[in-house]
Amino acid sequence: MWEKLRSIWTVPDLRKKILFTLGMLLVFRILAHINVPLSPDEQKNLNSLFNKGDNPVGQLLGLLDVFSGGSLQNFSIVAFSVYPYITATIVMQLLQPIIPALQNLSAQGEAGRLRFSQITRIITVPLAFLQALGQCALFQQEQVLQHFNLIDPQYALQSFAIVASLITGTMILVWLGELITEKGIGNGISIIILANILSNLPKYVQQGITAAQSGGSGAVVSLGVFAIIGVITILGIIYIYLGQRRVPVQYPTKRNVGRNMMVGSAQTTYIPMQVNSAGMIPLIFASSMLLFPTVIARYLSTSSTPWIKNAALWVSINLINPTEWWYWLFNFLLVVAFTYFYAYVMWQQQNIPENLQKQGAFIPGYRPGEPTSRYLMNILNRITLAGALFLGVITVLPFVARVGGNQMLGAAALLIAVGVVLDTVRQLESQMVMRNYSGFLS
């Protein structure tokens, strides 16, 4: 392993990619400490609000803060991280099969992909604006922001500056993520989310050590059991994440004999169909779909119209309350649905049955074309079911284990972190194999 790590630095361009990625993450963490201006009283109220782990507001803020890397608790300009962009990506993915123009963009290669990304970034701005309004309204409702009002001329400029800062912070992170994807290692957006999750790790370790020291031998045993369960969970995540069904494929070999092309014996290879082909994307999509309406409902709960206020309060208390079991059931269903959705989207983009037919390849026992497509789709449905159920169980595992407070999304955060790390290792693996080095997974 150490030899393989040292071999990275022997390749100048690979070393530059890694250093560039680390540099962008350093910039991101610096931005996370640039706070929206608050008075001392507002900062004190904000700190006390995040300690309310026994009510829906404290639970909600804990869920939001997990994926912001503590930026929300500081109310920094990157408090929303890249989640408005992820929500915009979900919207574009859902609209693509419906709107013909978006379908045409996906068929235009690199130019279409760039245009698709540009539209996604444009949609991110109004979504970030709505999330900023909802978050500020929530803080105003909890007496954190005392003078937030975009209509009152006395406070409009200050309020607009707060909203604009939050939107700008989100778009800067999107830009940094795209730079990492283009010039660094791994998917930039996923890397930023991973940095958010890992930035909270020292705090959780310190909390665990403090609890063990103050709780005696019983707390030490509980901490040890928790660590063992965590290791088993990580091993299970890696096992499912790397699991695949290998479908045999035969390619006919061709050789020239004089002026004629002769077909020789077939060469056998396989199609690696991943059990969890969607990776950690469904977890990110599901958490975004739940967090965004939660913030909007909190914003509407301050409305002066009685029926809107009552409806928003009912939704916050009864539908999107993270302390209730139906919230986690809905989260489970969202994860399963997004797993299938993203797996199908990725499968259609690869267009494997048509590519096999063009190359003259075939699956033994199945004719090229539609029979091969149906056979592969049946396999995809079966293995995706296992991956989707696994992701769903991991999502609701903390609630089943009665883990409260800010760590209710610990398993989901762990899954996302492991998935991002494995994806990044795979990219390093491919980069090193291209340069005739043995990879990390070999």
Side-chain angles (χ1 to χ4, degrees):
M1 170 61 75
W2 296 112
E3 290 294 332
K4 295 174 182 178
L5 289 174
R6 282 196 297 266
S7 65
I8 293 177
W9 302 100
T10 63
V11 185
D13 57 337
L14 188 57
R15 182 172 63 247
K16 290 179 181 178
K17 287 177 178 290
I18 296 175
L19 292 177
F20 181 84
T21 302
L22 295 176
M24 292 298 100
L25 292 179
L26 178 61
V27 173
F28 161 55
R29 293 312 302 169
I30 292 175
L31 292 175
H33 290 83
I34 301 178
N35 301 337
V36 173
L38 297 176
S39 66
D41 291 338
E42 291 175 334
Q43 185 64 52
K44 182 179 179 181
N45 294 336
L46 179 64
N47 295 333
S48 63
L49 179 62
F50 273 84
N51 294 326
K52 294 180 179 180
D54 55 347
N55 59 37
V57 175
Q59 296 282 7
L60 167 64
L61 294 175
L63 300 180
L64 292 170
D65 194 51
V66 166
F67 293 112
S68 69
S71 299
L72 183 59
Q73 187 170 0
N74 298 330
F75 205 25
S76 74
I77 62 174
V78 294
F80 299 153
S81 188
V82 292
Y83 280 91
Y85 177 77
I86 295 174
T87 305
T89 303
I90 297 172
V91 172
M92 291 294 291
Q93 294 283 1
L94 294 176
L95 292 179
Q96 185 175 351
I98 302 175
I99 301 177
L102 295 179
Q103 293 181 346
N104 295 333
L105 284 179
S106 62
Q108 293 178 5
E110 183 66 17
R113 187 189 65 81
L114 293 177
R115 180 59 178 169
F116 193 89
S117 299
Q118 183 181 12
I119 297 175
T120 304
R121 289 193 294 270
I122 293 174
I123 297 178
T124 303
V125 175
L127 291 179
F129 176 75
L130 291 176
Q131 187 168 349
L133 288 181
Q135 190 64 61
C136 291
L138 174 59
F139 282 163
Q140 186 181 33
Q141 181 182 358
E142 299 297 328
Q143 305 300 319
V144 174
L145 295 179
Q146 301 173 357
H147 304 295
F148 181 80
N149 194 323
L150 291 173
I151 301 177
D152 190 344
Q154 183 178 358
Y155 306 113
L157 183 60
Q158 178 184 357
S159 302
F160 178 78
I162 294 175
V163 173
S165 299
L166 295 172
I167 298 174
T168 303
T170 296
M171 298 311 296
I172 290 176
L173 289 190
V174 172
W175 177 59
L176 292 179
E178 292 181 348
L179 285 179
I180 293 174
T181 302
E182 180 182 356
K183 301 180 180 181
I185 290 292
N187 182 281
I189 300 299
S190 300
I191 292 292
I192 288 177
I193 296 175
L194 174 64
N196 279 331
I197 295 172
L198 294 182
S199 63
N200 281 325
L201 186 60
K203 180 180 69 175
Y204 292 147
V205 172
Q206 182 181 7
Q207 291 176 353
I209 295 175
T210 302
Q213 292 176 347
S214 60
S217 59
V220 174
V221 173
S222 300
L223 185 61
V225 172
F226 179 78
I228 294 174
I229 294 175
V231 171
I232 294 175
T233 303
I234 292 175
L235 294 177
I237 291 172
I238 295 175
Y239 180 79
I240 295 295
Y241 199 87
L242 297 179
Q244 58 181 223
R245 166 75 181 274
R246 297 184 176 184
V247 181
V249 177
Q250 291 187 353
Y251 287 85
T253 58
K254 300 179 181 180
R255 56 191 178 92
N256 293 322
V257 179
R259 296 183 179 181
N260 299 322
M261 179 71 70
M262 304 297 294
V263 178
S265 59
Q267 293 182 345
T268 302
T269 181
Y270 62 88
I271 302 173
M273 300 183 66
Q274 301 291 331
V275 175
N276 182 23
S277 58
M280 70 292 174
I281 299 299
L283 268 297
I284 300 175
F285 279 8
S287 61
S288 297
M289 290 293 290
L290 287 173
L291 294 179
F292 185 75
T294 301
V295 174
I296 297 301
R298 285 290 175 179
Y299 169 70
L300 295 178
S301 64
T302 61
S303 174
S304 58
T305 305
W307 70 270
I308 295 179
K309 179 179 180 179
N310 294 333
L313 289 175
W314 185 87
V315 169
S316 299
I317 296 173
N318 297 290
L319 293 184
I320 49 180
N321 186 347
T323 62
E324 301 293 344
W325 65 268
W326 52 77
Y327 172 90
W328 294 96
L329 176 61
F330 187 51
N331 198 352
F332 176 87
L333 296 176
L334 274 179
V335 169
V336 172
F338 275 122
T339 302
Y340 270 98
F341 171 76
Y342 198 76
Y344 288 152
V345 169
M346 295 296 294
W347 181 257
Q348 291 178 357
Q349 291 178 353
Q350 293 173 356
N351 202 8
I352 292 179
E354 183 177 346
N355 292 332
L356 291 177
Q357 188 174 11
K358 289 179 180 180
Q359 297 172 7
F362 63 94
I363 297 176
Y366 295 90
R367 298 178 58 186
E370 187 62 26
T372 297
S373 179
R374 288 198 302 267
Y375 173 69
L376 293 177
M377 184 58 68
N378 289 334
I379 295 178
L380 180 66
N381 289 333
R382 292 197 299 270
I383 64 176
T384 302
L385 176 62
L389 293 178
F390 174 78
L391 292 180
V393 170
I394 287 294
T395 302
V396 301
L397 182 61
F399 178 75
V400 175
R402 302 296 181 183
V403 178
N406 291 347
Q407 300 183 23
M408 290 188 70
L409 272 184
L414 182 63
L415 178 61
I416 293 173
V418 173
V420 174
V421 170
L422 289 177
D423 284 339
T424 305
V425 169
R426 282 177 174 175
Q427 290 204 20
L428 283 173
E429 171 93 1
S430 62
Q431 293 283 341
M432 297 191 61
V433 170
M434 287 173 56
R435 294 165 176 82
N436 298 324
Y437 289 99
S438 59
F440 292 99
L441 303 178
S442 59

